[in-house]
């Protein structure tokens, strides 16, 4: 075989090495294409001091969510919902409302985050009808973990980054319970403290299993991205090897001449 033919054969072998890992990478990417990865950071409203980190996945109509809370009133239930509509945003942390001492009420913030699309209860129904099911919401800062079915409109809003999560319940007078003479505009049997929004965050969506820039660990992470990275790295190495082989053969050819 001539020197030129040997060079071409070696280059072709390098290209073949590239083809295998790249096809593997494409397959891995296709496997995860039906899953949307979600994250959100809930920040305080009404000077509640409450915050939360949200992570999860959406595949078809199956939503898996994990919410880790901080600063919510201990020993008390906290209603929490996915909201859709309005401007798909959260009110300013300093925004005032129609409650006592200018506290922001649910109705005051609906122009921002819209109406309830799903109730994040711990058991049973998750529809808007369970929006005030106080016996089925997490108590205090208990971590929330649940997988449930959402309707198509809610799924679309989540995938489009047009959904907001809000948690409710603020102990304004710091007496360790929901109290006060002001009543909730949603249910007059409850004090305003029980339903006023405590924190809020817009849900971010990604088709990547690992959030870029050191984002929230979803708890549902896949190894597919690692496989993709390995495959691409292997492809790059194969290209380099093939190119090196061609270079060596050319040098030998010049030496022989």
């Amino acid at each position: 075989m001539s020197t030129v033919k040997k060079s071409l054969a070696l280059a072709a072998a390098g290209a073949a090495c590239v083809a295998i890992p790249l096809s593997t990478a494409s397959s891995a990417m296709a496997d995860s294409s039906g899953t949307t990865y979600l994250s959100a950071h809930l920040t305080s409203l009404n000077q509640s001091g409450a915050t939360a980190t949200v992570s999860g996945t959406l595949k078809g109509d199956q939503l898996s969510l994990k919410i880790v809370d901080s600063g919510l009133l201990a020993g008390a239930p906290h209603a929490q919902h996915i909201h859709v509509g309005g401007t798909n945003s959260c009110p300013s942390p300093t925004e005032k409302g129609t409650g006592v001492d200018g506290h922001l009420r649910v109705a005051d913030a609906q122009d921002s985050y819209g109406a309830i699309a799903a109730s994040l209860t711990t058991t049973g129904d998750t529809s808007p009808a369970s929006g005030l099911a106080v016996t089925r919401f997490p108590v205090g800062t208990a971590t929330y973990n649940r997988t449930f079915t959402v309707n198509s409109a809610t799924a679309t809003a989540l995938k489009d980054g047009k959904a907001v999560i809000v948690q409710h319940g603020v102990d304004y007078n710091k007496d360790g319970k929901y109290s006060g003479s002001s009543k909730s505009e949603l249910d007059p049997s409850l004090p305003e403290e029980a339903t006023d929004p405590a924190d809020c965050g817009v849900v971010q969506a990604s088709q990547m299993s690992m959030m870029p820039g050191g984002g929230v660990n979803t708890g549902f992470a896949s190894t597919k991205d690692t496989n993709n990275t390995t495959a691409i790295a292997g492809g790059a190495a194969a290209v380099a090897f093939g190119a090196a082989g061609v270079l060596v053969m050319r040098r030998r050819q010049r030496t022989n001449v």
Side-chain angles (χ1 to χ4, degrees), residues 12-100:
C17 290
V18 175
I20 295 172
L22 287 183
S23 64
T24 302
S26 299
S27 175
M29 291 173 69
D31 288 344
S32 64
S33 62
T35 300
T36 300
Y37 297 84
L38 308 171
S39 66
H41 179 62
L42 278 54
T43 56
S44 297
L45 296 174
N46 282 316
Q47 297 183 320
S48 67
T51 61
T53 298
V54 181
S55 55
T57 59
L58 175 67
K59 188 166 186 178
D61 62 0
Q62 294 301 296
L63 175 63
S64 295
L65 280 183
K66 178 179 181 179
I67 304 177
V68 180
D69 302 303
S70 175
L72 292 172
L73 176 60
H78 292 272
Q80 53 184 16
H81 316 97
I82 297 173
H83 288 255
V84 172
T87 57
N88 307 301
S89 63
C90 291
S92 165
T94 59
E95 186 169 333
K96 298 296 184 180
T98 58
V100 172

Side-chain angles (χ1 to χ4, degrees), residues 5 14 87 98-99 109 126 148 158 228 236 252 255:
K5 288 183 177 180
T87 57
T98 58
T126 58
F148 56 95
L158 287 165
N228 291 347
R252 288 179 178 175
T255 303

Side-chain angles (χ1 to χ4, degrees), residues 4 7 26 48 52-53 109 111 116 161 163 181 201 229:
V4 174
S7 299
S26 299
S48 67
T53 298
D111 287 345
I116 296 173
S181 59
T229 303

Side-chain angles (χ1 to χ4, degrees), residues 232-246:
I232 293 169
V239 171
F241 177 80
V246 172

Side-chain angles (χ1 to χ4, degrees), residues 29 45 53 123 132 145 159 161 178 184-185 212-213 251:
M29 291 173 69
L45 296 174
T53 298
T123 60
L132 289 177
N145 267 300
K159 287 188 287 187
Y178 295 142
S184 168
E185 83 275 32
R251 285 179 178 172

Side-chain angles (χ1 to χ4, degrees), residues 2 11 19 26-27 45 52 59 68 106 119 129 193 197 249 256:
S2 69
S26 299
S27 175
L45 296 174
K59 188 166 186 178
V68 180
V106 173
S119 299
E193 288 188 344
M249 294 304 296
N256 294 335

